[in-house]
Every structure is written in C-alpha cells, then in structure tokens.
Amino acid sequence: MTRRPLCMLCLILMLSMCATDWAGIPLIRGNPLPENAVSWIEEHPQATLCGEVIQTTENEFSQSVYLSNAYLIYQSQKLSIENVKVFLKQREEVPAGTVILVSGKLKRVEEKRNPGEFDSQQYYASQHIYYLLNNAEIIEKSENYSAYRQGISQLREYLAGVLGKIAGKEAGIFQAIVLGDKTSLDKEVKLRYQMAGIVHILAISGLHISVIGTGLYQLLMKTGLGIWGSGFLALLFMLQYGVMTGGSVSTMRAVCMFLISTGAKITGRIYDLPTALAVSAMMILGESGAYLYNSGFLLSFSAVAGAGIVVPAFTRTLEKGKEGRTGKLCTALAASAAIQLTMLPVSLYFFGEISLIGIFLNLIVLPTVGVVLGSGVLGMILGCVNLKIGSLMIFPGKILAGFYEKLCMMAGNLPFGTWIAGQPEIWQIVAYYAVLASAVLLLTYRKKKSSTSDKEKDKVQEKNIAGNLRVRKYLSLFLICTALFLISWRKTESFSITCLDVGQGDGIVVRTPEGNCFLVDGGSTNKSGTGQYQILPYLKNQGISRVDGILVSHTDKDHISGVEEILELTAQKLNSVEIGCLYLPNWKTPPEEWEKLSQLAKEAGISVKQVKEGDCLKAGKLEMQIVAPLENASGINVNEDGMVLQVKYGEFTGLLTGDMGEETEQKLLEMGDLEDVDFLKVGHHGSHYSTSQQFLDKIKPEYAIISCSSTNTYGHPAPEIVERLEKAGCKVGFTMKSGAVTVSWQKGKIRLKGYLGNYI
C-alpha cells in the first residue's frame, strides 16, 4: 500500500468519515437542515415550496417528481431543504428542468422501524432528500426547461418502448439490463433472480460499462481517431449513458472506474485497480457522504474489490498447486467463491441471507450475460430503424434470458440454496475482513529467490518454495474457515416476544433460545407488502430460517395480509424461510378469508390445523395454551371469536389477545381460565372496547405492548386504556412510538425494549 499513496489517502478519508459519524457529528446520517427550517416544517406540514424538476417517474398508481434546490418561504426568507420527492395528486406534464411552485403536505422520510427493514431514510439521504411532499398540486410552472435533460429522458423512454416491442415477455429484463429501468420488471422475476444470487446482472455495473465502453473505444480506434480522440469520445458517451440509465451508485462507480481506466490509456499511465476503486469511492462520497451506509454502494465496491484483489490471490495459488494446474472449472469456481466471500459480511448485514447456489449459477451466467447485453443493445439500436431486424438481433439474448429464468426456478426448488445467517455485529465484520485479508496476504506472499547460480541450491530452494506454498494454502484455508465461523457466530438469544411495527395491525414473533419460532398474526391496513417488507426481513435479520408455525387469531386484514403474502411467496418458491404449519381458529362457519388462507397453505405444501380452547402447542420448553376460541365458536364475529394464546416459557407467562373485546374477556373470567401474567399484548390495538378493569385486575400484567399506527383514524390507543394500564402498574410499549417492541425473559429478568429507543 505504500506504493499506492492516493489509494491510502482515500481510505484514510473514508475511515475519517466513519469516525466522525461514530462520534455523533451528523455528516452522514441525520437531518443536516437548519434547526429553524426543521422546526417550521414540524409546525407547518402543509407547505408551498419551489424547486427544479430533475426527474419524473410514473407507474400505474401515481406520478412522482424529484425536485432539486427546493426551498420554502419563511418570514420573507428562502429556507433551503435541498432535494424533495413530490407525489402529485394528478398527472401533469413536467419536463426536466422546469421550475415549479407546488403545494402539499411535507413529511420527513421515515426511519426504518423494524430490524432488517429497508432503510428508506438512508437511501433518500444519499440523494440529499430528507422530506417527501404528499398529495401535492402544482400551482405554477415555468415555460423554460432543460432540453438536454428532457431529451435524455425522452430517449430513454423511447428506447424502453423499442425494447418492449422487440423483446416480448423478456422486455422487463432487457430494459433493466440495457437501460437500468426496472419499472416494467415483474416482481416475481426480480425475486427469483435474488434467490438465485444473480440479481446483480439486472443492474448497470462494471460489466455493462466494460462491454459497451471498451467495445466503443476499440471501434473508434479502428476508425483512426487515435488514443486521445477515441478515449475522449468513449468517455463522453459513457458519461451520457450513465446519466440516461438513472445514475445508480453501481453505475456511477463503473463510470468513474472507466474514466480512470481510459484516462490511464490516454496519458500512458498504468491502471491500478485498488487505486481506481478507492478514488471512485471518494468521488461518490464527495457528492454524498450518506452513500457510505448505502447497501448498493457497499455491495458494488466489495464485489469489485473481491474480483480485483481476492480472486487473483485465489486463482494464482490454485494454478500453482501440486498438479501444476487445476482446470478451468475449479479456477472459475474459486473466483466465484472469492467474490462471494468478499461480499458476505455486507450481504448478511443488510439482508441476513446469501444465496449459496449463486456461487455455481454465476459460473454459467457471467460468461454469457455479455451476449444478453450485446444482443439487447444491438437489437435496440437496429429496432429503432426496423423492428423485425431488431427482434432478430435480440433473439439470442431472449433465449439466454429464458434459460436464466429456468435456472432461477430450479434454484428456488433446492432446499439449501440460501443460507440465512442473520445480521452480524460490527465487530464481527471487522474481524472477518481482518482474517480474510490475512489469508489473502499469506497467499500473495512471495519470498525472493537466492541470487546464487548453484543449480543444486536452486533445486532445493524450489522445493522449499513449493512446500511453503502448500503450507500457506492450508493455513489460508484455515483462516477462511475461521473468518466464516466469526461472521456466522450468534450469541444465544433469550426468550422473547417481538411486536413488529406493521402500522395499523399486528405481527408478533415468539422465539426461544433453543431455536423455536412462531409467528402470531401478520398484517396491516395502512402498509402494503407487510409480509415481504417487514416480517420476512425481520426473520432473516435475526437468522431465523424456519418458522415452526403461523397462528392466525382472526381473519381481519390487519392481521392476515402479510400472512397471505408469505403463503403466496412460499407457494411460488420465492420464500427462503421454511414454514412448518398454519394454525387457524376452529370456527363452525369460517368466512371466505379463512378458506383462502387454508387453500394458500395447501398450495404451498404447508399443513393446516384448527385449534380451540384447551389445545396446547409445545416446542421444547415453550407452551402455547389456546384460551380461545371457545367451544362451538361460530366465527361470525371474528374479533370476539378470535384466537387467544397464553404463552409460557419457564417462569414467564404472556397473553396474546388478538382483537378480543370485553365480551370475550367476561366469558373467560367466568370460566376461570385466566391467571396472572407477566406480559400482555393489549387487545384490539388499545381500543376502548377491550382491556376492561376487571380483566386487568385478574391477569395483573407487569408489561404490555400496544400495536397501532400513529396515523390511524380509530383513535387507537384510547387514552383511558393507556391510563388504566399505567394505574395498574404496567409498563407500556407502543409500536407507533418505538418501532418494533420486544419483551425478553432471561434468568428471571424481564426487559421491554423499543427498536428506536432504549429499554422502556
């Protein structure tokens, strides 16, 4: 590294950025806007602001506009709020570069509220966006706009249309690969690619820039333009290509490295990958420091670092093995594994899982994806002239795209295709990379040969070198195994019940130290994709690869919408978390939603069982006693006939009440089925129709959680219920205030902790 001073300088700068963030200086995270602007927005969310349109996106549901250099008018002053994403109430033509005056309701971009959930606040902060303007109306707009940016946008839209016509059902894949446009990409296809570990080919990356940029450079060289002319034109074109394809972080990284590579050719300098990688990272971070915690940024750079630094160390060592050469297949497999090893901590930190089958599938996909990209580009260009010629040119890529889909479907059917290890701690990531770096240094270590000309001594030295290489190979393998152990180690968890923040709904995860896990309800009425975006990410984040059972208290949407998603994904082989059984309340006349859940479970190959009062589910030390539904429950009133669970683990007792109201509470009191509990999941989201004083006097909970949304229109939780709980000496946690709330029990101690704060 001493021979790479620029690389070292960039690394030091990045470490300094991390250090300032850890010290609490808000350069990377947090809201950097002036305090007076933040305070004014909180007091006046209905606001009018002005800004320049930089991009417009549309889907079948809405139109959104990205504004740059946006500002508010406050006390005759312009308060800058940097960039803003505006969701328009009605569709309107707003070309890029137009300055608009728009009115709507400003809302701070929400922080993630559950472990494993996508961090939209950090994602938008990378684009200097800290507020969203919802339900907006354009009051006034300028007649002038940017002909260049609007032209780029229209060109992208036109080319996407051409690909749509010539690529048929694979249009979404080609639009993603060639133009970076994923709006038409089928959700199911994207999930299949993710599970197969080849989703990276759908993003504009170094492969795309290399194929297109290098191809263009060589073509221009053949025209006699020379190094300077060819390099300059290739750079200019690739910069425009990066802008047209959306300017994602992987695209920016690839374009920056292509710029440095081409610059080295033009000036006659040697291209050094570590230096180019570090300089590219600082160029991106200089534009927005928030990228330092961006998953796309870290995955892109770790993949290139693996390909450029770790892969050569692995492959060179294999080629110098005992047999002299190991074969192309073994070398390629080692290269694929080396990249995955480099990306492993980043993947686990953000997603909690990694595709194992992807190591093998990339051996097939990476050598052929250039054909898909090349045929897509040529087909698109020729399609602008003649659609039939374009269709003919893109045909080889369509065949390969269809083949990739078959590979993905095959990967989804494999039982051990994905490894769910959970999110590692920061110290584990640091230790992992330190040990992996030691293994790479050991493999790349080269001892200088003796200068003596004695042939006998040279032979002895060669034998010693071969022996040392063998020792270093085994020692490196041991270090890699040690690194894998470090990153996969998880401390023994205490028994816990976690109420996820799913908005207006319920989603409860019960876990034991022995590894048993149950999901009780899972749904929301004000959040879509609860199963995919809150429940499954949480399970993967915690390293939970199997849920022993899903228990549904009743069939209101705010309790089952996420469960339905999970069952549908499982049936489509798009869920890597194994589901053991679905437990439904035993009702005489179950509603349509009950039947739908049962059918979905059967399609997914999941057994379905009906439970009623008196039944007991056991898993190791965990006992889940069914307190309701009562015998002969009809299921007509799903709230009052819902499932109620008494959870016991060791000396801990909890009560999960679904949406049970005072009517069922009274019945249970009369039957004498209730006892003192340590924890209560408050019924019906804290509604004043539940949790009666008589009920509380009987169960005497010490801790309670209310799951509800801060924006609900039902008045949940009712103030009198909160007051009643507090007067009973109960410590109460709220998902609307603390995000996911967990009650844990270990060695007789109970703790209540919110994800967004400390212990409650």
Side-chain angles (χ1 to χ4, degrees), residues 484-544:
L484 288 171
F485 170 77
L486 284 171
I487 203 69
S488 61
W489 178 84
R490 298 291 178 268
K491 64 180 180 181
T492 303
E493 297 289 340
S494 56
F495 171 78
S496 65
I497 299 176
T498 299
C499 290
L500 300 176
D501 183 359
V502 292
Q504 188 61 21
D506 267 350
I508 305 166
V509 179
V510 181
R511 298 180 64 191
T512 72
E514 295 77 28
N516 297 109
C517 176
F518 288 87
L519 173 66
V520 182
D521 289 336
S524 177
T525 53
N526 70 331
K527 286 189 177 183
S528 59
T530 303
Q532 184 179 349
Y533 300 123
Q534 274 93 41
I535 299 174
L536 289 177
Y538 171 79
L539 295 174
K540 294 172 184 178
N541 175 272
Q542 300 297 302
I544 300 170

Side-chain angles (χ1 to χ4, degrees), residues 705-730:
I705 297 175
I706 298 177
S707 177
C708 63
S709 168
S710 59
T711 59
N712 76 85
T713 58
Y714 308 105
H716 297 161
E720 62 266 30
I721 297 301
V722 177
E723 184 180 355
R724 190 178 296 166
L725 286 163
E726 290 176 345
K727 280 186 176 180
C730 185

Side-chain angles (χ1 to χ4, degrees), residues 112-120 347-353 422-423 500 532-543 740 755:
K112 68 174 185 175
R113 304 181 63 82
N114 299 284
E117 189 175 6
F118 176 71
D119 193 345
S120 58
S347 298
L348 292 183
Y349 186 82
F350 286 104
F351 309 112
E353 66 176 353
Q423 184 185 66
L500 300 176
Q532 184 179 349
Y533 300 123
Q534 274 93 41
I535 299 174
L536 289 177
Y538 171 79
L539 295 174
K540 294 172 184 178
N541 175 272
Q542 300 297 302
Y755 179 65

